Amino acid sequence: QVQLAQSGAEVKKPGASAKVSCKASGYTFTGYYMHWVRQAPGQGLEWMGWINPHRGGTNYAQKFQGRVTMTRDTSISTAYMELSSLRSDDTAVYFCARDRLQLDWRITTPQNVMDVWGQGTTVTVSS
Amino acid sequence: DIVMTQSPDSLAVSLGERATINCKSSQSVLYSSNNRNYLAWYQQKPGQPPKLLIYWASTRESGVPDRFSGSGSGTDFTLTISSLQAEDVAVYYCQQYYYTPALTFGGGTKVEIK
């Protein structure tokens, strides 16, 4: 079945970077955009950006521009999200989520609806 | 960015009764060219990732029970659970996907059993 398996929890010091992985299985990794969404403790959902796993193109929320980098390794069907210059308010659960729309020769942009989610990765920023 | 405002923040409903959650966007998410509302609903149970329930404001995702329905257009939307079941206890979020790439979610509505 379609699954997204994320890497384990991380504890980082302020100013460090965190890199979360998201391994896809059960579908063609390059056929769907991948989004990243975070959720601070007891808070709502915040969209961070997406990556096109086929071409590698990215689109980041303005809030994270300059601090976030989304990459992928198609050989192992894995997407990555790296957040740098971590602050205490970056403490959150980070989710990868597949875009609902399958890409083909006509469809090259995401629908921006997320139909499959990873289990989440907790990143704690603390001195 | 488009602000999505949900109400109420929480509600308690008896089993078998109707639950209604509202979502209001600060700008219209209706695209006139295709007459579609770019609005989705998600359910998040404690300790779990969100689950897609509805997109295009009223289209149920495959496998979602038909007691969940979405309605509304433009700036005002509603998620209705027609007969609340115990497994529906969760936080529900709306999300607009009209104004890209700045996708935004509502603050969430917590549904509990009365």
Side-chain angles (χ1 to χ4, degrees):
Chain A
Q1 71 277 32
V2 176
Q3 284 186 331
L4 299 174
Q6 298 186 221
S7 48
E10 300 193 24
V11 179
K12 297 292 182 179
K13 294 197 180 302
S17 297
K19 190 171 185 177
V20 179
S21 68
C22 171
K23 183 172 178 59
S25 61
Y27 73 97
T28 302
F29 175 67
T30 53
Y32 298 78
Y33 279 75
M34 189 74 76
H35 300 267
W36 289 89
V37 175
R38 77 177 186 179
Q39 186 171 37
Q43 302 301 308
L45 302 168
E46 183 175 33
W47 180 78
M48 299 180 70
W50 55 243
I51 182 168
N52 178 338
H54 177 55
R55 296 181 179 275
T58 56
N59 208 331
Y60 303 141
Q62 188 169 11
K63 173 177 180 177
F64 300 102
Q65 292 271 3
R67 282 210 305 142
V68 70
T69 304
M70 296 177 188
T71 57
R72 92 290 188 218
D73 183 339
T74 58
S75 69
I76 55 172
S77 299
T78 299
Y80 302 91
M81 187 285 299
E82 183 171 23
L83 189 62
S84 63
S85 303
L86 289 169
R87 308 182 288 255
S88 58
D89 61 359
D90 291 318
T91 294
V93 177
Y94 290 78
F95 296 100
C96 58
R98 190 186 78 167
D99 192 82
R100 190 184 159 275
L101 196 61
Q102 183 173 13
L103 304 176
D104 61 24
W105 65 272
R106 299 168 301 159
I107 299 171
T108 59
T109 56
Q111 183 183 16
N112 293 306
V113 173
M114 295 153 244
D115 69 341
V116 180
W117 294 66
Q119 83 274 20
T121 297
T122 300
V123 175
T124 303
V125 183
S126 174
S127 54
Chain B
D1 289 359
I2 301 305
V3 177
M4 307 300 290
T5 303
Q6 289 185 231
S7 62
D9 292 336
S10 65
L11 75 161
V13 177
S14 300
L15 289 173
E17 295 300 305
R18 179 185 300 262
T20 301
I21 300 167
N22 301 301
C23 174
K24 187 175 184 67
S25 59
S26 59
Q27 296 182 46
S28 175
V29 297
L30 172 63
Y31 189 40
S32 56
S33 296
N34 60 14
N35 201 35
R36 284 183 162 180
N37 288 282
Y38 285 57
L39 190 286
W41 288 96
Y42 299 85
Q43 174 195 64
Q44 186 177 32
K45 296 180 180 180
Q48 295 186 20
K51 173 188 175 183
L52 175 64
L53 296 177
I54 286 170
Y55 54 96
W56 299 132
S58 61
T59 301
R60 262 189 309 275
E61 174 72 335
S62 174
V64 173
D66 61 6
R67 64 180 180 273
F68 291 93
S69 64
S71 62
S73 185
T75 60
D76 293 280
F77 300 90
T78 300
L79 175 70
T80 301
I81 310 172
S82 61
S83 177
L84 191 75
Q85 305 300 304
E87 61 265 31
D88 301 334
V89 169
V91 178
Y92 294 83
Y93 294 94
C94 60
Q95 177 224 331
Q96 68 79 22
Y97 51 104
Y98 183 96
Y99 297 95
T100 61
L103 309 181
T104 48
F105 294 87
T109 296
K110 186 175 185 178
V111 174
E112 300 173 306
I113 305 295
K114 184 187 292 184

